[in-house]
Amino acid sequence: MSGTATGRAPEETVTAASPPDSTVRSGRFLARAAGGAAGLTVVAALLGLVRDQAVARLFGASHASDAFLIAWTVPEMAATLLIEDGMALLLVPAFSLALARRAAGGHGEDPVRALVAGTLPRLFAALACAGGLLVWGAPWAVGVLAPGLDDPRLAVDCTRLTAVTVLTFGITGYFSAALRAHGRFMAPAGVYIAYNIGIIGTTLALHSLWGVRAAAAGVAAGSLLMILTLLPTFVRLVPWRRGRKAPRERGPALLGATVLAPVVLFVVCRQAQVLVERFLASSLPDGAISHLNYAQKVAQLPMVLSMMICTVTFPVVARAMAEGDGEGARRRVERDLALAGTVVLLGAATVLGCAPQIVEVLFQRGAFNAADTAATAGVMRVYALGLLGHTLVGALCRPFFSAGRPTWYPLGAMGAGLVVTTVAGLLLTGPFGVDGIAAANAVGISTAALLMLLGLGSRAVAVRSGAVVLSLARPAAAAAVAVTACRLTTDLVPGAPAGLAAGCVVVPTAFLLTGLALRAPEAVHLLALIRRRFPHGR
């Protein structure tokens, strides 16, 4: 994260126990935090593309790459559950409460230390056991994930190597939640930089000896680097000196089964969309899983960037709800949905307009040929249709879980979306192949997003669903115009690099001009909105 004008990092000015009108809640800080986190996310995303390029160049879209990507399901699931949504939704409120109790005083033992002492050892033991079970049961896991593989042995070996992420991602997620509650956003946003560096370095160094197993070993090495990235800051923030014995703290109770179950099951159900895709694609010809993976990784970059807004403002919504400021929480959530939706729609327009050029520039070399480019680009365009749904699900789950009390509605909505994905996938995979799988994903996640939006007002934050839909309809229309303009332009420009460059100019220009014509402030003032203050309750 870039420093302030005085050279001091903005995250260092924050204390989570500060009052609502203090520096931690200032819009200036939130804008800088979102910008800094987004900057590190862009770097991590670029390294992720280099990682995928390395795998594509060395192994193409083949049995070996499919085996690695089946094993990749483990860190994908672990990242969502243990680093991002699951761990953050549980532990950010828990650490925030501990920090508030510390600020109130009157405790012999520091509440933050008590929370760590009461939860971290148990979490470590549980995750270590889960990782060990996965190593032992890797053949069964591969059989469930991809029953259509002719020879699962390579996928089993890779799965055993990636199983270490069950433990390492859990510790990374714990440290990240603690740092975010303290107002430190830079280090958590940078963990994927270390992760991708570990994967790239190990793959390039060992692929000639281990084949695709080197990439799986790189996943394990990169996950250890993630912990090392966060450990120094975590050690500085958490007091290790034990004070006098105090009554049992309430903080660890926030991690009880009644609160844990809805969050964990929601995250698992959300990530199960990927499991359904891999299951259906395993019966298709070799390379199908790889085409889905490459397309999804690139298509979801706009969603990752848009979610930085909600990641930074999540503590603000939680604080407003804890203080009974329902109106402030409503305005914050509605503004976040509009801005995040605008960002992802602009990105989706770029993907829809320039998919073949993007894939050719990024991947078409080595073992990845023109046929792979065409297949991946087609899937990418279908995936882009569901990007708004993915963003809304990620944004809407935060206010649902911000109140610190059990709520099962998001799980029900996500379960309904998963059923739609599964049924649509079974119907569409036969006639349309990987494109049908991607279409099923888009329809299912959009169903879940709509159900969550309709249910939020009566169960968590009283958002005006009609106002949210209107705020998204105008940038959606602008995105449609931008896609049309981009397709017409790229058809006239020879060569993928030149076509991509032209598309990257035409899409934002057409998007903003159309937004101006439609009087859509969400599109016209996108950069101004990012810089504008995000005040709490104002």
Side-chain angles (χ1 to χ4, degrees):
M1 185 181 300
S2 59
T4 64
T6 62
R8 187 181 187 188
E11 62 179 14
E12 294 174 352
T13 65
V14 181
T15 57
S18 301
D21 56 350
S22 66
T23 305
V24 68
R25 303 306 175 197
S26 72
R28 191 174 305 168
F29 165 75
L30 290 175
R32 287 198 302 266
L40 290 177
T41 301
V42 168
V43 175
L46 292 175
L47 286 173
L49 289 176
V50 174
R51 174 202 68 208
D52 292 340
Q53 286 175 329
V55 174
R57 181 168 185 169
L58 295 173
F59 309 108
S62 62
H63 174 75
S65 62
D66 285 355
F68 169 69
L69 292 172
I70 291 167
W72 183 265
T73 304
V74 175
E76 276 186 322
M77 178 72 78
T80 303
L81 180 61
L82 300 174
I83 299 179
E84 303 302 336
D85 293 341
M87 195 72 78
L89 292 172
L90 288 168
L91 286 174
V92 169
F95 274 102
S96 297
L97 176 60
L99 288 166
R101 289 167 62 81
R102 173 197 282 176
H107 299 275
E109 184 174 4
D110 185 277
V112 176
R113 186 199 180 282
L115 175 61
V116 173
T119 56
L120 184 55
R122 288 182 290 171
L123 178 69
F124 185 94
L127 294 174
C129 291
L133 285 174
L134 182 57
V135 170
W136 174 77
W140 176 84
V142 170
V144 171
L145 291 172
L149 285 182
D150 294 332
D151 185 359
R153 289 176 296 178
L154 183 57
V156 170
D157 291 344
C158 292
T159 300
R160 283 177 167 148
L161 288 167
T162 60
V164 71
T165 58
V166 174
L167 174 60
T168 52
F169 278 16
I171 303 304
T172 298
Y174 190 97
F175 288 175
S176 295
L179 298 189
R180 286 169 179 165
H182 282 81
R184 268 61 172 183
F185 296 99
M186 183 177 180
V191 293
Y192 289 107
I193 296 176
Y195 179 56
N196 286 322
I197 289 174
I199 298 175
I200 294 168
T202 306
T203 301
L204 295 178
L206 300 177
H207 75 276
S208 60
L209 296 176
W210 294 356
V212 79
R213 295 177 182 85
V219 171
S223 68
L224 292 173
L225 292 178
M226 296 170 86
I227 296 177
L228 296 178
T229 300
L230 299 176
L231 184 60
T233 307
F234 180 80
V235 170
R236 286 198 305 270
L237 290 176
V238 176
W240 297 100
R241 181 175 297 177
R242 189 180 185 90
R244 64 181 178 83
K245 188 174 181 180
R248 181 179 177 86
E249 298 291 345
R250 291 188 301 161
L254 291 173
L255 306 182
T258 56
V259 176
L260 186 68
V263 176
V264 171
L265 292 176
F266 167 80
V267 174
V268 170
C269 191
R270 182 181 177 187
Q271 191 63 22
Q273 297 248 352
V274 177
L275 304 184
V276 171
E277 291 181 15
R278 302 266 165 89
F279 181 90
L280 295 172
S282 68
S283 61
L284 297 176
D286 284 346
I289 295 176
S290 299
H291 295 148
L292 285 167
N293 174 77
Y294 296 135
Q296 187 181 68
K297 288 298 193 310
V298 177
Q300 289 190 351
L301 285 178
M303 180 197 71
V304 173
L305 292 175
S306 66
M307 286 307 301
M308 285 296 99
I309 300 164
C310 303
T311 298
V312 172
T313 59
F314 174 40
V316 178
V317 176
R319 183 67 174 264
M321 295 182 68
E323 294 169 352
D325 185 7
E327 181 64 16
R330 179 192 65 78
R331 284 196 292 263
R332 175 73 271 147
V333 172
E334 288 183 1
R335 185 179 299 179
D336 288 351
L337 291 173
L339 184 54
T342 301
V343 172
V344 80
L345 284 168
L346 175 58
T350 305
V351 172
L352 286 166
C354 305
Q357 292 80 9
I358 292 173
V359 178
E360 183 174 342
V361 169
L362 292 179
F363 299 117
Q364 190 172 315
R365 56 184 61 86
F368 197 96
N369 56 35
D372 294 324
T373 294
T376 303
V379 177
M380 187 185 299
R381 280 176 166 156
V382 180
Y383 266 134
L385 300 176
L387 284 181
L388 180 60
H390 280 286
T391 297
L392 291 179
V393 167
L396 289 167
C397 70
R398 285 162 168 77
F400 268 112
F401 294 118
S402 291
R405 62 178 181 270
T407 175
W408 293 92
Y409 185 84
L411 174 61
M414 197 65 244
L418 182 62
V419 170
V420 171
T421 297
T422 303
V423 173
L426 291 172
L427 294 175
L428 298 176
T429 301
F432 299 105
V434 288
D435 291 339
I437 295 174
N441 178 289
V443 173
I445 199 66
S446 298
T447 300
L450 179 61
L451 292 174
M452 290 178 69
L453 178 61
L454 294 177
L456 181 63
S458 60
R459 292 170 176 83
V461 179
V463 298
R464 301 165 299 174
S465 57
V468 172
V469 171
L470 179 61
S471 69
L472 295 173
R474 289 176 292 194
V481 172
V483 171
T484 302
C486 181
R487 295 288 293 271
L488 293 174
T489 302
T490 54
D491 287 344
L492 300 175
V493 178
L500 179 58
C504 289
V505 173
V506 170
V507 168
T509 302
F511 187 88
L512 293 176
L513 290 176
T514 306
L516 178 62
L518 297 175
R519 297 185 178 183
E522 297 83 7
V524 179
H525 303 297
L526 179 58
L527 295 178
L529 283 171
I530 293 175
R531 297 191 182 102
R532 185 182 298 177
R533 291 187 175 187
F534 290 80
H536 165 71
R538 206 176 83 180

